[in-house]
Amino acid sequence: MSARFHIRVATLEDIPALHQLIEASVRQLQTNEYTAEQRDGALGHVFGVDTQLIQDQTYFVACPAEQPTVIAGCGGWSFRKTLFGSDHGPGRIPEVLDPTADAAKIRAIFIHPEWARQGLGSLILEHCENAAQNAGFGRFEMGSTLTGVALYALKGYREEERIEVPLPNGSLLPIVHMVKLLKGVETTS
């Protein structure tokens, strides 16, 4: 799979393409789990670009090897406390985490519908986990969409709690707080 895609650090120049990819992903791939009202309210709020990740160089884009200018998927990790959300999302906490005590945040993995269900989400997740692990983190957590829960459970994440996120349009968006501990890593909690 990795030979089919090149993963690189996202840049500020990628933002327009990322907005398009995220909107297409949400509107087409999350129809079974979220209503149109939830998807509309979440776009640009919960679902969207977090430029802090791009500035921190912890957000990545995946491009098909044969189409290097096409962004097929994106995702990242963070050494900051914010669990999920775009630049305009709720609960933004920019403080830096301690890798010896805190879990890295796996953030904003979206796949363009044309490239869905081909293993790209798993590839991006693995890339993010490896990068976070190389930065000293042995635990990961995320605010998963309902759409992503099955994949993340297969990859060793377990559900901690369900969160109802209030949206600007008055809807509530269910998000699943999930965690993963690497084998051989002791937890301080």
Side-chain angles (χ1 to χ4, degrees):
M1 169 55 94
S2 60
R4 290 186 52 212
F5 294 95
H6 169 71
I7 296 179
R8 65 170 172 79
V9 173
T11 67
L12 295 174
E13 290 77 30
D14 292 323
I15 290 175
L18 290 171
H19 282 300
Q20 291 176 352
L21 181 150
I22 291 168
E23 182 167 351
S25 180
V26 169
R27 293 203 185 281
Q28 295 179 44
L29 300 179
Q30 296 186 9
T31 58
N32 291 334
E33 294 79 18
Y34 296 114
T35 67
E37 184 179 32
Q38 288 171 318
R39 293 190 313 273
D40 288 344
L43 279 165
H45 183 67
V46 177
F47 302 147
V49 177
D50 181 344
T51 54
Q52 183 67 64
L53 298 175
I54 295 172
Q55 291 166 351
D56 289 342
Q57 298 189 328
T58 60
Y59 202 64
F60 308 100
V61 295
C63 303
E66 69 279 2
Q67 299 174 356
T69 61
V70 172
I71 298 177
C74 57
W77 72 278
S78 183
F79 53 80
R80 298 180 186 277
K81 291 186 178 183
T82 301
L83 184 61
F84 60 85
S86 72
D87 285 342
H88 309 290
R92 305 214 27 101
I93 310 168
E95 284 82 15
V96 173
L97 300 167
D98 175 357
T100 64
D102 298 317
K105 310 304 186 237
I106 301 297
R107 302 279 313 277
I109 297 176
F110 293 97
I111 307 302
H112 192 282
E114 292 178 23
W115 299 95
R117 294 168 185 79
Q118 298 181 36
L120 186 53
S122 295
L123 182 68
I124 292 170
L125 175 63
E126 180 181 6
H127 186 84
C128 294
E129 288 177 342
N130 288 341
Q133 190 173 5
N134 288 339
F137 288 90
R139 294 184 304 134
F140 311 118
E141 68 180 338
M142 67 172 66
S144 174
T145 63
L146 297 178
T147 310
V149 168
L151 169 65
Y152 300 133
L154 285 173
K155 300 300 180 181
Y157 286 81
R158 64 175 166 57
E159 183 176 328
E160 284 288 296
E161 66 177 322
R162 293 199 175 224
I163 305 164
E164 294 282 328
V165 181
L167 301 175
N169 66 1
S171 298
L172 294 173
L173 186 79
I175 295 290
V176 182
H177 179 208
M178 301 184 81
V179 298
K180 179 178 180 179
L181 177 66
L182 294 178
K183 291 180 180 168
V185 175
E186 293 183 28
T187 181
T188 57
S189 55

